[in-house]
Amino acid sequence: MKLKVHTQILIAIVMGVVVGVLLGEKTVHIKIVGDMFIRLLKAIIIPLIMASMVAGIVSLGDVRKLGRIGLKTFLYYAATTTLAVTVGLVLVNVMRPGVGVEIAEKTLDLSDREVPSVVSIIRDIIPANLFAAMAQDKVLSVIFFSLLLGVAISTVGEKGRPLATLFEAFNAVMMKITDWIMRLAPYGVFALMAHTIGTMGLAVIRPLLTYMATVTMGLAIHACVTLPILLTVFGKYSPVKFAKDVFSAVATAFSTASSAATLPITMDCLQENTGVSNKVTSFVLPLGATVNMDGTALYEAVAAMFIAQAYGIDLGIGHQLLIVLTATLASVGAAAIPGAGLVTMVIVLRAVNLPLEGIGMILAVDRILDMLRTAVNVWGDACGAVVVANLEGEQLNK
Ligand code: ASP
């Protein structure tokens, strides 16, 4: 009997945890399998985004449709991220996980990690050099250039036809490669899980349990209540069926802690299982992986409040509104790679004058929360694709 990929991945996660607990540090020998899996995914991200975006735009026929899809996507992203942050803030005010926590001595050296400013995030969308942007995995810049290319090819008409055909072919080939990589996903996921559990140890978790519970509960409410409601109302799609459809993507997000690395799998799941067109997935998903991070925004808000509570700093409603705004921006600015949210949290802490050293306290459990928030980030993007597709009147396999 051949198991479905998502069943295989589920088994891989469970086996990874068991092996991680049993072998501990020895799992470092398995790590190479996980590293190779992530490298494969990373290898195709840039060409996949470019091929699928250009092919998607060209297939729109009328480029004005792009504006419509763009507006709906933007509204969905803005609404869901704000809802996520709000849930996080309410919970952290109710559960007060930071009150009474002893402030750790541990300090964090952020000097080697660049914290982007809001201005630079916006400016750098335009690549000064396309090839440099591709080489440095600057996803937003590649999206920008692909949009430009797609719109230009459509506008040129007959003369642009050979290029349109070229990108359509390129896209089909990239999707085929993604398909092959997906078959390797169970092995990659197993190795990544085993290594994470094996090296982290469970002892670091204890002092931060309430904080972790607050973040986890917030993420669960967003993923299991807020987004399913939106999916049902605006996407007219069953959340249970959809959870099965995109399970492989969410599980890969969980084990890799990278929305970008998961992107090829997210695109594959949506196109194969839900019937959302390439027009929509090629626009909503790459953009979503980079800028729409509901889980990260929620986490940043909770973490900032946790730090404030631990230092005995009382933040009023004005400051908390500032947290909503900056946590949203910080999640937009966070790269879709492991640990990025921890770095952009500096933006939130600075805005409300909290001590940056506070980040040191939550460092120990960041990886596990990173896995959870990345899974929610990808789930949010995927739901967005269905909502936009439904609002565009597409026929989906419900
Ligand atoms: N790892 C997250 C992602 O790729 C970003 C973060 O650190 O919050 O979506």
Side-chain angles (χ1 to χ4, degrees), residues 115-156:
V115 180
S117 71
V118 177
V119 176
S120 72
I121 293 169
I122 295 171
R123 183 197 56 206
D124 292 353
I125 292 176
I126 302 176
N129 176 331
L130 174 68
F131 294 98
M134 291 170 98
Q136 292 160 10
D137 284 337
K138 296 244 188 291
V139 173
L140 272 187
S141 312
V142 174
I143 290 178
F144 174 84
F145 193 84
S146 309
L147 277 173
L148 210 59
L149 199 60
V151 172
I153 292 174
S154 295
T155 318
V156 162

mmCIF file of all heavy atoms in Angstrom, residues 115-156:
data_model
loop_
_atom_site.group_PDB
_atom_site.id
_atom_site.type_symbol
_atom_site.label_atom_id
_atom_site.label_comp_id
_atom_site.label_asym_id
_atom_site.label_seq_id
_atom_site.Cartn_x
_atom_site.Cartn_y
_atom_site.Cartn_z
ATOM 1 N N VAL A 115 19.321 44.637 11.287
ATOM 2 C CA VAL A 115 17.893 44.846 11.502
ATOM 3 C C VAL A 115 17.410 45.849 10.456
ATOM 4 O O VAL A 115 17.864 46.981 10.418
ATOM 5 C CB VAL A 115 17.624 45.420 12.906
ATOM 6 C CG1 VAL A 115 16.133 45.621 13.095
ATOM 7 C CG2 VAL A 115 18.188 44.512 13.964
ATOM 8 N N PRO A 116 16.497 45.432 9.580
ATOM 9 C CA PRO A 116 16.095 46.350 8.510
ATOM 10 C C PRO A 116 15.237 47.501 9.040
ATOM 11 O O PRO A 116 14.440 47.311 9.956
ATOM 12 C CB PRO A 116 15.264 45.452 7.588
ATOM 13 C CG PRO A 116 14.800 44.332 8.438
ATOM 14 C CD PRO A 116 15.798 44.151 9.536
ATOM 15 N N SER A 117 15.425 48.684 8.486
ATOM 16 C CA SER A 117 14.528 49.778 8.850
ATOM 17 C C SER A 117 13.360 49.751 7.867
ATOM 18 O O SER A 117 13.454 49.152 6.793
ATOM 19 C CB SER A 117 15.258 51.107 8.758
ATOM 20 O OG SER A 117 15.481 51.419 7.411
ATOM 21 N N VAL A 118 12.264 50.388 8.256
ATOM 22 C CA VAL A 118 11.081 50.361 7.404
ATOM 23 C C VAL A 118 11.400 50.974 6.032
ATOM 24 O O VAL A 118 11.004 50.450 4.985
ATOM 25 C CB VAL A 118 9.915 51.110 8.093
ATOM 26 C CG1 VAL A 118 8.709 51.157 7.178
ATOM 27 C CG2 VAL A 118 9.557 50.414 9.388
ATOM 28 N N VAL A 119 12.155 52.080 6.047
ATOM 29 C CA VAL A 119 12.513 52.749 4.785
ATOM 30 C C VAL A 119 13.310 51.810 3.886
ATOM 31 O O VAL A 119 13.038 51.686 2.691
ATOM 32 C CB VAL A 119 13.337 54.034 5.071
ATOM 33 C CG1 VAL A 119 13.786 54.674 3.770
ATOM 34 C CG2 VAL A 119 12.524 54.998 5.906
ATOM 35 N N SER A 120 14.283 51.094 4.481
ATOM 36 C CA SER A 120 15.114 50.243 3.631
ATOM 37 C C SER A 120 14.305 49.060 3.097
ATOM 38 O O SER A 120 14.562 48.584 1.987
ATOM 39 C CB SER A 120 16.359 49.781 4.374
ATOM 40 O OG SER A 120 16.009 48.831 5.353
ATOM 41 N N ILE A 121 13.334 48.590 3.879
ATOM 42 C CA ILE A 121 12.514 47.465 3.387
ATOM 43 C C ILE A 121 11.798 47.892 2.097
ATOM 44 O O ILE A 121 11.782 47.177 1.103
ATOM 45 C CB ILE A 121 11.451 47.045 4.432
ATOM 46 C CG1 ILE A 121 12.139 46.443 5.656
ATOM 47 C CG2 ILE A 121 10.462 46.042 3.840
ATOM 48 C CD1 ILE A 121 11.207 46.236 6.831
ATOM 49 N N ILE A 122 11.230 49.105 2.142
ATOM 50 C CA ILE A 122 10.481 49.585 0.977
ATOM 51 C C ILE A 122 11.416 49.872 -0.193
ATOM 52 O O ILE A 122 11.192 49.432 -1.320
ATOM 53 C CB ILE A 122 9.663 50.843 1.356
ATOM 54 C CG1 ILE A 122 8.612 50.446 2.394
ATOM 55 C CG2 ILE A 122 8.998 51.461 0.123
ATOM 56 C CD1 ILE A 122 7.872 51.598 3.009
ATOM 57 N N ARG A 123 12.524 50.556 0.096
ATOM 58 C CA ARG A 123 13.449 50.930 -0.979
ATOM 59 C C ARG A 123 14.022 49.694 -1.680
ATOM 60 O O ARG A 123 14.097 49.628 -2.904
ATOM 61 C CB ARG A 123 14.590 51.764 -0.384
ATOM 62 C CG ARG A 123 15.573 52.279 -1.418
ATOM 63 C CD ARG A 123 16.860 52.708 -0.751
ATOM 64 N NE ARG A 123 17.432 51.605 0.026
ATOM 65 C CZ ARG A 123 18.230 51.761 1.076
ATOM 66 N NH1 ARG A 123 18.545 52.957 1.510
ATOM 67 N NH2 ARG A 123 18.708 50.718 1.712
ATOM 68 N N ASP A 124 14.379 48.673 -0.869
ATOM 69 C CA ASP A 124 15.072 47.514 -1.437
ATOM 70 C C ASP A 124 14.174 46.601 -2.254
ATOM 71 O O ASP A 124 14.647 45.632 -2.843
ATOM 72 C CB ASP A 124 15.760 46.717 -0.332
ATOM 73 C CG ASP A 124 16.911 47.509 0.268
ATOM 74 O OD1 ASP A 124 17.223 48.593 -0.285
ATOM 75 O OD2 ASP A 124 17.483 47.065 1.275
ATOM 76 N N ILE A 125 12.878 46.922 -2.307
ATOM 77 C CA ILE A 125 11.997 46.124 -3.168
ATOM 78 C C ILE A 125 12.473 46.262 -4.611
ATOM 79 O O ILE A 125 12.414 45.328 -5.406
ATOM 80 C CB ILE A 125 10.531 46.601 -3.045
ATOM 81 C CG1 ILE A 125 10.013 46.283 -1.652
ATOM 82 C CG2 ILE A 125 9.645 45.946 -4.097
ATOM 83 C CD1 ILE A 125 8.615 46.787 -1.386
ATOM 84 N N ILE A 126 12.978 47.446 -4.950
ATOM 85 C CA ILE A 126 13.485 47.650 -6.306
ATOM 86 C C ILE A 126 14.928 47.187 -6.355
ATOM 87 O O ILE A 126 15.774 47.714 -5.646
ATOM 88 C CB ILE A 126 13.409 49.138 -6.698
ATOM 89 C CG1 ILE A 126 11.950 49.608 -6.589
ATOM 90 C CG2 ILE A 126 13.953 49.363 -8.103
ATOM 91 C CD1 ILE A 126 11.766 51.065 -6.865
ATOM 92 N N PRO A 127 15.212 46.148 -7.137
ATOM 93 C CA PRO A 127 16.589 45.652 -7.166
ATOM 94 C C PRO A 127 17.489 46.580 -7.974
ATOM 95 O O PRO A 127 17.126 46.988 -9.072
ATOM 96 C CB PRO A 127 16.461 44.291 -7.858
ATOM 97 C CG PRO A 127 15.229 44.396 -8.697
ATOM 98 C CD PRO A 127 14.314 45.397 -8.037
ATOM 99 N N ALA A 128 18.651 46.912 -7.408
ATOM 100 C CA ALA A 128 19.594 47.710 -8.185
ATOM 101 C C ALA A 128 20.241 46.812 -9.231
ATOM 102 O O ALA A 128 20.674 47.253 -10.282
ATOM 103 C CB ALA A 128 20.647 48.305 -7.265
ATOM 104 N N ASN A 129 20.309 45.532 -8.914
ATOM 105 C CA ASN A 129 20.896 44.588 -9.839
ATOM 106 C C ASN A 129 20.122 43.279 -9.699
ATOM 107 O O ASN A 129 20.168 42.633 -8.652
ATOM 108 C CB ASN A 129 22.373 44.392 -9.465
ATOM 109 C CG ASN A 129 23.061 43.348 -10.328
ATOM 110 O OD1 ASN A 129 22.423 42.412 -10.823
ATOM 111 N ND2 ASN A 129 24.349 43.494 -10.495
ATOM 112 N N LEU A 130 19.412 42.915 -10.738
ATOM 113 C CA LEU A 130 18.529 41.753 -10.648
ATOM 114 C C LEU A 130 19.298 40.495 -10.262
ATOM 115 O O LEU A 130 18.855 39.716 -9.438
ATOM 116 C CB LEU A 130 17.803 41.532 -11.977
ATOM 117 C CG LEU A 130 16.963 40.255 -12.013
ATOM 118 C CD1 LEU A 130 15.782 40.345 -11.071
ATOM 119 C CD2 LEU A 130 16.489 39.954 -13.420
ATOM 120 N N PHE A 131 20.474 40.316 -10.885
ATOM 121 C CA PHE A 131 21.191 39.065 -10.643
ATOM 122 C C PHE A 131 21.739 39.005 -9.221
ATOM 123 O O PHE A 131 21.744 37.949 -8.581
ATOM 124 C CB PHE A 131 22.277 38.866 -11.698
ATOM 125 C CG PHE A 131 21.658 38.671 -13.049
ATOM 126 C CD1 PHE A 131 21.552 39.722 -13.950
ATOM 127 C CD2 PHE A 131 21.102 37.448 -13.392
ATOM 128 C CE1 PHE A 131 20.922 39.552 -15.179
ATOM 129 C CE2 PHE A 131 20.474 37.268 -14.616
ATOM 130 C CZ PHE A 131 20.373 38.328 -15.515
ATOM 131 N N ALA A 132 22.157 40.175 -8.719
ATOM 132 C CA ALA A 132 22.611 40.208 -7.323
ATOM 133 C C ALA A 132 21.428 39.875 -6.410
ATOM 134 O O ALA A 132 21.560 39.102 -5.457
ATOM 135 C CB ALA A 132 23.172 41.581 -6.988
ATOM 136 N N ALA A 133 20.249 40.430 -6.732
ATOM 137 C CA ALA A 133 19.070 40.163 -5.901
ATOM 138 C C ALA A 133 18.737 38.670 -5.916
ATOM 139 O O ALA A 133 18.411 38.081 -4.881
ATOM 140 C CB ALA A 133 17.876 40.977 -6.404
ATOM 141 N N MET A 134 18.856 38.056 -7.091
ATOM 142 C CA MET A 134 18.569 36.623 -7.184
ATOM 143 C C MET A 134 19.587 35.825 -6.390
ATOM 144 O O MET A 134 19.246 34.887 -5.672
ATOM 145 C CB MET A 134 18.574 36.166 -8.641
ATOM 146 C CG MET A 134 17.408 36.726 -9.431
ATOM 147 S SD MET A 134 17.586 36.418 -11.183
ATOM 148 C CE MET A 134 16.597 34.990 -11.384
ATOM 149 N N ALA A 135 20.846 36.239 -6.510
ATOM 150 C CA ALA A 135 21.901 35.496 -5.825
ATOM 151 C C ALA A 135 21.754 35.607 -4.310
ATOM 152 O O ALA A 135 22.137 34.708 -3.569
ATOM 153 C CB ALA A 135 23.267 36.008 -6.272
ATOM 154 N N GLN A 136 21.199 36.738 -3.854
ATOM 155 C CA GLN A 136 21.067 36.919 -2.400
ATOM 156 C C GLN A 136 19.680 36.521 -1.888
ATOM 157 O O GLN A 136 19.304 36.888 -0.778
ATOM 158 C CB GLN A 136 21.338 38.378 -2.036
ATOM 159 C CG GLN A 136 22.775 38.795 -2.246
ATOM 160 C CD GLN A 136 22.920 40.302 -2.354
ATOM 161 O OE1 GLN A 136 21.980 41.052 -2.093
ATOM 162 N NE2 GLN A 136 24.092 40.745 -2.763
ATOM 163 N N ASP A 137 18.921 35.810 -2.707
ATOM 164 C CA ASP A 137 17.576 35.381 -2.296
ATOM 165 C C ASP A 137 16.681 36.529 -1.861
ATOM 166 O O ASP A 137 15.914 36.401 -0.911
ATOM 167 C CB ASP A 137 17.657 34.365 -1.148
ATOM 168 C CG ASP A 137 18.075 33.005 -1.636
ATOM 169 O OD1 ASP A 137 17.884 32.726 -2.831
ATOM 170 O OD2 ASP A 137 18.611 32.223 -0.840
ATOM 171 N N LYS A 138 16.785 37.672 -2.523
ATOM 172 C CA LYS A 138 15.917 38.801 -2.159
ATOM 173 C C LYS A 138 14.567 38.608 -2.857
ATOM 174 O O LYS A 138 14.347 39.066 -3.982
ATOM 175 C CB LYS A 138 16.543 40.121 -2.616
ATOM 176 C CG LYS A 138 17.843 40.460 -1.939
ATOM 177 C CD LYS A 138 17.655 41.723 -1.138
ATOM 178 C CE LYS A 138 18.886 42.310 -0.562
ATOM 179 N NZ LYS A 138 19.634 41.809 0.430
ATOM 180 N N VAL A 139 13.699 37.903 -2.174
ATOM 181 C CA VAL A 139 12.457 37.473 -2.795
ATOM 182 C C VAL A 139 11.589 38.650 -3.263
ATOM 183 O O VAL A 139 11.066 38.652 -4.374
ATOM 184 C CB VAL A 139 11.675 36.556 -1.825
ATOM 185 C CG1 VAL A 139 10.314 36.227 -2.369
ATOM 186 C CG2 VAL A 139 12.460 35.288 -1.569
ATOM 187 N N LEU A 140 11.483 39.676 -2.403
ATOM 188 C CA LEU A 140 10.622 40.809 -2.789
ATOM 189 C C LEU A 140 11.101 41.467 -4.078
ATOM 190 O O LEU A 140 10.303 41.857 -4.929
ATOM 191 C CB LEU A 140 10.580 41.847 -1.673
ATOM 192 C CG LEU A 140 9.521 41.655 -0.587
ATOM 193 C CD1 LEU A 140 9.494 42.850 0.335
ATOM 194 C CD2 LEU A 140 8.135 41.411 -1.176
ATOM 195 N N SER A 141 12.417 41.610 -4.216
ATOM 196 C CA SER A 141 12.947 42.237 -5.423
ATOM 197 C C SER A 141 12.672 41.373 -6.648
ATOM 198 O O SER A 141 12.369 41.886 -7.725
ATOM 199 C CB SER A 141 14.463 42.449 -5.307
ATOM 200 O OG SER A 141 14.762 43.029 -4.080
ATOM 201 N N VAL A 142 12.786 40.065 -6.475
ATOM 202 C CA VAL A 142 12.525 39.172 -7.606
ATOM 203 C C VAL A 142 11.039 39.232 -7.981
ATOM 204 O O VAL A 142 10.678 39.247 -9.159
ATOM 205 C CB VAL A 142 12.971 37.724 -7.278
ATOM 206 C CG1 VAL A 142 12.579 36.769 -8.389
ATOM 207 C CG2 VAL A 142 14.467 37.675 -7.055
ATOM 208 N N ILE A 143 10.178 39.330 -6.962
ATOM 209 C CA ILE A 143 8.743 39.466 -7.233
ATOM 210 C C ILE A 143 8.494 40.751 -8.029
ATOM 211 O O ILE A 143 7.772 40.767 -9.022
ATOM 212 C CB ILE A 143 7.938 39.506 -5.904
ATOM 213 C CG1 ILE A 143 7.971 38.131 -5.239
ATOM 214 C CG2 ILE A 143 6.494 39.952 -6.153
ATOM 215 C CD1 ILE A 143 7.246 38.070 -3.905
ATOM 216 N N PHE A 144 9.118 41.828 -7.583
ATOM 217 C CA PHE A 144 8.939 43.116 -8.253
ATOM 218 C C PHE A 144 9.339 43.016 -9.730
ATOM 219 O O PHE A 144 8.593 43.406 -10.623
ATOM 220 C CB PHE A 144 9.787 44.184 -7.542
ATOM 221 C CG PHE A 144 9.792 45.516 -8.228
ATOM 222 C CD1 PHE A 144 8.763 46.430 -7.993
ATOM 223 C CD2 PHE A 144 10.801 45.856 -9.121
ATOM 224 C CE1 PHE A 144 8.756 47.655 -8.634
ATOM 225 C CE2 PHE A 144 10.798 47.079 -9.766
ATOM 226 C CZ PHE A 144 9.770 47.980 -9.523
ATOM 227 N N PHE A 145 10.514 42.439 -9.973
ATOM 228 C CA PHE A 145 10.992 42.364 -11.352
ATOM 229 C C PHE A 145 10.108 41.430 -12.189
ATOM 230 O O PHE A 145 9.820 41.721 -13.356
ATOM 231 C CB PHE A 145 12.450 41.894 -11.390
ATOM 232 C CG PHE A 145 13.079 42.089 -12.726
ATOM 233 C CD1 PHE A 145 13.616 43.318 -13.070
ATOM 234 C CD2 PHE A 145 13.091 41.066 -13.665
ATOM 235 C CE1 PHE A 145 14.166 43.527 -14.324
ATOM 236 C CE2 PHE A 145 13.633 41.265 -14.925
ATOM 237 C CZ PHE A 145 14.171 42.498 -15.252
ATOM 238 N N SER A 146 9.660 40.336 -11.578
ATOM 239 C CA SER A 146 8.819 39.390 -12.326
ATOM 240 C C SER A 146 7.485 40.028 -12.704
ATOM 241 O O SER A 146 6.962 39.789 -13.797
ATOM 242 C CB SER A 146 8.540 38.135 -11.498
ATOM 243 O OG SER A 146 9.736 37.612 -11.007
ATOM 244 N N LEU A 147 6.957 40.846 -11.775
ATOM 245 C CA LEU A 147 5.712 41.567 -12.084
ATOM 246 C C LEU A 147 5.917 42.456 -13.304
ATOM 247 O O LEU A 147 5.125 42.463 -14.246
ATOM 248 C CB LEU A 147 5.314 42.458 -10.903
ATOM 249 C CG LEU A 147 4.555 41.806 -9.745
ATOM 250 C CD1 LEU A 147 4.391 42.791 -8.594
ATOM 251 C CD2 LEU A 147 3.185 41.339 -10.218
ATOM 252 N N LEU A 148 7.032 43.182 -13.261
ATOM 253 C CA LEU A 148 7.344 44.109 -14.345
ATOM 254 C C LEU A 148 7.459 43.353 -15.669
ATOM 255 O O LEU A 148 6.887 43.739 -16.696
ATOM 256 C CB LEU A 148 8.693 44.761 -13.996
ATOM 257 C CG LEU A 148 8.970 46.153 -14.464
ATOM 258 C CD1 LEU A 148 7.935 47.102 -13.909
ATOM 259 C CD2 LEU A 148 10.365 46.596 -13.957
ATOM 260 N N LEU A 149 8.191 42.244 -15.607
ATOM 261 C CA LEU A 149 8.420 41.440 -16.800
ATOM 262 C C LEU A 149 7.097 40.893 -17.346
ATOM 263 O O LEU A 149 6.811 40.989 -18.543
ATOM 264 C CB LEU A 149 9.349 40.281 -16.413
ATOM 265 C CG LEU A 149 10.085 39.562 -17.511
ATOM 266 C CD1 LEU A 149 10.989 40.526 -18.264
ATOM 267 C CD2 LEU A 149 10.952 38.446 -16.912
ATOM 268 N N GLY A 150 6.281 40.344 -16.454
ATOM 269 C CA GLY A 150 5.005 39.755 -16.870
ATOM 270 C C GLY A 150 4.095 40.795 -17.505
ATOM 271 O O GLY A 150 3.505 40.557 -18.574
ATOM 272 N N VAL A 151 3.999 41.949 -16.849
ATOM 273 C CA VAL A 151 3.120 42.997 -17.375
ATOM 274 C C VAL A 151 3.640 43.477 -18.732
ATOM 275 O O VAL A 151 2.874 43.663 -19.685
ATOM 276 C CB VAL A 151 3.015 44.174 -16.364
ATOM 277 C CG1 VAL A 151 2.280 45.346 -16.979
ATOM 278 C CG2 VAL A 151 2.306 43.711 -15.099
ATOM 279 N N ALA A 152 4.962 43.632 -18.845
ATOM 280 C CA ALA A 152 5.528 44.093 -20.119
ATOM 281 C C ALA A 152 5.287 43.079 -21.231
ATOM 282 O O ALA A 152 4.893 43.450 -22.345
ATOM 283 C CB ALA A 152 7.028 44.355 -19.956
ATOM 284 N N ILE A 153 5.470 41.801 -20.921
ATOM 285 C CA ILE A 153 5.259 40.776 -21.955
ATOM 286 C C ILE A 153 3.805 40.817 -22.445
ATOM 287 O O ILE A 153 3.534 40.756 -23.645
ATOM 288 C CB ILE A 153 5.608 39.358 -21.424
ATOM 289 C CG1 ILE A 153 7.112 39.253 -21.181
ATOM 290 C CG2 ILE A 153 5.165 38.272 -22.406
ATOM 291 C CD1 ILE A 153 7.558 37.962 -20.530
ATOM 292 N N SER A 154 2.871 40.962 -21.484
ATOM 293 C CA SER A 154 1.452 41.037 -21.881
ATOM 294 C C SER A 154 1.178 42.280 -22.714
ATOM 295 O O SER A 154 0.422 42.231 -23.686
ATOM 296 C CB SER A 154 0.547 41.119 -20.657
ATOM 297 O OG SER A 154 0.628 39.967 -19.926
ATOM 298 N N THR A 155 1.790 43.385 -22.330
ATOM 299 C CA THR A 155 1.496 44.641 -23.007
ATOM 300 C C THR A 155 2.048 44.677 -24.424
ATOM 301 O O THR A 155 1.433 45.231 -25.320
ATOM 302 C CB THR A 155 2.075 45.834 -22.195
ATOM 303 O OG1 THR A 155 1.812 45.600 -20.830
ATOM 304 C CG2 THR A 155 1.469 47.152 -22.611
ATOM 305 N N VAL A 156 3.204 44.048 -24.616
ATOM 306 C CA VAL A 156 3.844 44.063 -25.934
ATOM 307 C C VAL A 156 3.012 43.294 -26.969
ATOM 308 O O VAL A 156 3.031 43.588 -28.151
ATOM 309 C CB VAL A 156 5.279 43.488 -25.804
ATOM 310 C CG1 VAL A 156 5.835 43.078 -27.143
ATOM 311 C CG2 VAL A 156 6.174 44.500 -25.133
#
